[in-house]
Amino acid sequence: MSDFIALVNLPVPAATVPASAAEPGLERGWLSRALESVSVWIVLLLAWWVASVYLPLGDNPLLPSPLITANALWDSLPELWAGTLSSLTILIPGFALATLLGIVSGLAVGTSARLQRIFLPFAKVAGPVPPTVYIPYAIAILPTFKLSAIFVVFIGAFWPIFQNSVAGAHALEQSYRDNARILGLTRFEYQRRVVFPAALPHIFTGMAVGLAFSFILLTVAELFGANAGLGRFVQYYADFADYPKMVAGILYTGLVTFLAMTLLDRVRRRSLFWLK
Amino acid sequence: MSHGLKLEGVGFAYKATQVLQDINVSIPEGQFVSLLGASGSGKTTLLRLAAGLDPVDSGRLTWNGAPVVGPSLERGVVFQDYALFPWLSVVDNIEIAIAKAKPTVRKADRQAEAGKYLRDLGLEAAIGRYPGELSGGMRQRAAIARALALGSPLLLMDEPFGALDPVNRARLQDLLLEVWELATPRKTIVFVTHDVDEAIYLGDRLVVLGSSPGRVIADLQVPLERPRERHSLLDSHPLQALREQVAATLVQDTLQRLKAA
């Protein structure tokens, strides 16, 4: 078990953070707090604008100004939206399958000493392999690019979810186990009604890591062979040295990633309402 | 076939430590036994053995003549803490017990029955709420409701009121006695506590465990009438005499242990 924890780098289930951490005595109105939360954005935007106007970068600026980028973003929205849909048809199946199999197998392994003896040595070796190395082979082996990209996203998201599910099942408090035994729960009831909810804080940690990995792998995979998608969009316009569109693509991808992570966090908060 | 809970020469060791040694206690059906002892005397271990959560190392442990080999709905348990699943609402915590005790009952009826148990314990306001939203006293009420919902003839209670403030503690003691005395047939209860007054006030009988290793150092009847009346009892002569006897036994055990060490 101890070597297992070393492998997982045991995540601390993030406790629900209070919405406002401000001490009542130190409050200085909503305006100053709003300014604090956007200050980094303002500084970066200014720095970007100054750099794009005053740095001598010639006719085809590597650093398009914010306004030019905004125009490029606006013009590209239909194409970006189509790319988003294309990317989601890779991301969603890969991530969903990883979540499902990661949780089911992780909880099964986490609650069985025998399954741990069988699978953990393998997981310890296979888990840390950077999933990007599978991309060329997956493209060669699987019939379509889409399938191989889904596969790679799946591999990348699977291990963090699996490992955190194992850790969550492992961390199950003795008292819950005793309670389940006293109630005479069947093995399936025990998994579904006790182990799974108890492990949920860990599982969500794994899902957050897995989702971030999914976006990385999605965009990298798209560089290899996609004909649409977010990573493909950036690569395509970089090849034509259309930097305004490329930067617009980067910003847009960042936004989509942020929205997906926010959505997952919402789900997490709703599901873990019972955590104090 | 002998009815009730019977321990004959029961022993239990954890790693190199002998936790319990040669425990001989026979508890007839319907008796309320307070199991008393200092911390580390193996009270909780004894309860876990009776529940079937841990197997005995030596001796014989039987419930109604049959050896205890694992947990069973025949023997309900109330723990001091974490008795409920925090991700289930209070009513669902009770319902899951009813679902196991009476698998054929429909869900709507199970919910209704769970509500009845909760009302009996003064928890109607907490039915749809979650354990994390309740006070310690309310949580323990719900835990007792769940143990009752299992319908077990034997209730094993491990310091169920240990974490409560004195007012809530007294209230729940009275509630437990009321529920127990009203039921027919009465449940057999083994109630673990380290509070001498609580042990005497609740029990028909006191079994006192000494420590290192845990063994029975006193087995006393409580000569008090039921139903018990808290205010007249606590200062009564028989209770005080018993309290002093138990305290002396425990002190003597501690002194002996210190001498041996």
Side-chain angles (χ1 to χ4, degrees):
Chain A
M1 187 190 148
S2 59
D3 51 345
F4 170 70
I5 284 172
L7 156 79
V8 169
N9 195 7
L10 204 70
V12 182
T16 41
V17 182
S20 158
E23 304 95 305
L26 298 173
E27 259 184 70
R28 282 179 308 165
W30 63 271
L31 188 65
S32 73
R33 269 183 288 140
L35 275 175
E36 278 161 17
S37 60
V38 295
S39 56
V40 175
W41 297 103
I42 294 174
V43 169
L44 282 179
L45 199 63
L46 276 176
W48 177 12
W49 179 72
V50 169
S52 64
V53 172
Y54 293 103
L55 288 183
L57 288 170
D59 291 337
N60 180 19
L62 278 166
L63 197 61
S65 76
L67 197 65
I68 294 173
T69 308
N71 271 328
L73 182 60
W74 179 255
D75 291 340
S76 312
L77 272 183
E79 197 182 344
L80 280 168
W81 176 243
T84 309
L85 294 181
S86 166
S87 290
L88 287 182
T89 58
I90 295 169
L91 190 92
I92 290 174
F95 182 69
L97 195 65
T99 301
L100 185 72
L101 291 184
I103 293 173
V104 169
S105 60
L107 296 185
V109 168
T111 48
S112 156
R114 169 182 279 178
L115 292 181
Q116 271 162 51
R117 286 194 299 273
I118 295 173
F119 287 107
L120 283 194
F122 169 70
K124 219 168 146 177
V125 175
V129 175
T132 41
V133 300
Y134 300 125
I135 295 174
Y137 202 33
I139 290 176
I141 284 185
L142 292 166
T144 65
F145 167 76
K146 192 144 263 180
L147 266 182
S148 39
I150 290 172
F151 171 76
V152 172
V153 166
F154 164 76
I155 293 282
F158 174 80
W159 288 113
I161 296 172
F162 170 80
Q163 286 165 344
N164 280 280
S165 301
V166 174
H170 236 278
L172 187 73
E173 285 182 43
Q174 173 81 33
S175 53
Y176 296 149
R177 216 174 313 163
D178 288 344
N179 265 313
R181 289 180 64 197
I182 283 155
L183 291 170
L185 299 187
T186 64
R187 195 168 163 75
F188 178 70
E189 285 170 331
Y190 173 59
Q191 292 284 358
R192 189 173 71 87
R193 301 202 69 171
V194 180
V195 182
F196 172 67
L200 260 188
H202 281 88
I203 290 173
F204 274 111
T205 306
M207 285 174 73
V209 176
L211 186 59
F213 269 24
S214 298
F215 272 98
I216 295 173
L217 290 163
L218 167 78
T219 45
V220 172
E222 282 175 349
L223 300 184
F224 276 77
N227 44 27
L230 296 172
R232 155 80 181 169
F233 181 92
V234 172
Q235 179 65 42
Y236 183 79
Y237 288 106
D239 288 346
F240 286 102
D242 187 342
Y243 295 115
K245 284 205 169 180
M246 191 198 79
V247 174
I250 292 172
L251 292 178
Y252 181 87
T253 306
L255 182 70
V256 170
T257 312
F258 167 75
L259 288 178
M261 298 299 286
T262 305
L263 181 68
L264 180 64
D265 194 57
R266 284 279 169 83
V267 175
R268 182 182 71 83
R269 274 162 200 262
R270 282 198 70 139
S271 313
L272 298 181
F273 68 92
W274 48 270
L275 264 190
K276 274 184 293 176
Chain B
M1 172 167 139
S2 64
H3 283 274
L5 188 70
K6 200 162 187 179
L7 295 90
E8 297 162 282
V10 165
F12 184 81
Y14 181 73
K15 290 177 181 163
T17 316
Q18 192 70 31
V19 183
L20 292 170
Q21 196 168 48
D22 195 27
I23 307 282
N24 290 287
V25 178
S26 181
I27 300 170
E29 267 183 310
Q31 194 171 54
F32 195 132
V33 175
S34 296
L35 187 60
L36 197 62
S39 313
S41 57
K43 307 184 293 282
T44 297
T45 306
L46 189 57
L47 211 69
R48 292 180 62 85
L49 296 181
L53 288 170
D54 294 317
V56 297
D57 284 339
S58 54
R60 227 172 103 80
L61 173 62
T62 56
W63 167 247
N64 286 345
V68 170
V69 290
S72 142
L73 293 178
E74 288 270 290
R75 301 182 301 277
V77 183
V78 180
F79 297 101
Q80 176 177 344
D81 278 320
Y82 308 111
L84 305 166
F85 297 124
W87 47 84
L88 295 181
S89 70
V90 169
V91 71
D92 287 345
N93 263 290
I94 314 299
E95 194 223 313
I96 195 173
I98 298 173
K100 297 312 289 186
K102 303 173 181 169
T104 52
V105 175
R106 289 207 328 273
K107 182 164 172 105
D109 296 334
R110 294 202 300 261
Q111 290 272 336
E113 192 176 337
K116 186 185 80 63
Y117 280 109
L118 288 169
R119 269 190 296 281
D120 286 352
L121 286 157
L123 278 176
E124 52 273 84
I127 280 179
R129 291 167 74 187
Y130 284 78
E133 304 173 306
L134 304 183
S135 67
M138 287 165 93
R139 273 206 290 272
Q140 281 315 78
R141 280 170 196 251
I144 293 170
R146 191 178 69 180
L148 295 174
L150 276 174
S152 320
L154 172 63
L155 268 192
L156 303 161
M157 309 184 82
D158 187 10
E159 298 191 41
F161 311 144
L164 303 184
D165 62 83
V167 175
N168 258 306
R169 186 174 240 227
R171 228 186 253 162
L172 276 173
Q173 287 166 355
D174 291 340
L175 184 65
L176 175 63
L177 282 186
E178 194 187 307
V179 171
W180 178 70
E181 281 164 3
L182 281 177
T184 44
R186 281 187 183 169
K187 289 178 188 300
T188 314
I189 295 187
V190 181
F191 188 99
V192 165
T193 177
H194 57 244
D195 179 333
V196 178
D197 280 353
E198 181 172 68
I200 298 172
Y201 179 63
L202 295 174
D204 295 319
R205 175 182 172 192
L206 304 183
V207 173
V208 185
L209 291 187
S211 357
S212 321
R215 68 216 181 282
V216 178
I217 55 173
D219 191 341
L220 310 160
Q221 295 295 319
V222 180
L224 301 173
E225 299 283 306
R226 290 187 193 273
R228 293 184 179 165
E229 169 47 52
R230 176 178 300 275
H231 295 290
S232 56
L233 258 185
L234 284 178
D235 298 321
S236 73
H237 180 69
L239 189 140
Q240 290 199 351
L242 197 57
R243 182 196 287 151
E244 270 160 37
Q245 192 185 348
V246 171
T249 314
L250 284 169
V251 168
Q252 206 186 355
D253 176 62
T254 310
L255 287 177
Q256 267 178 7
R257 207 171 71 241
L258 289 175
K259 253 182 234 164

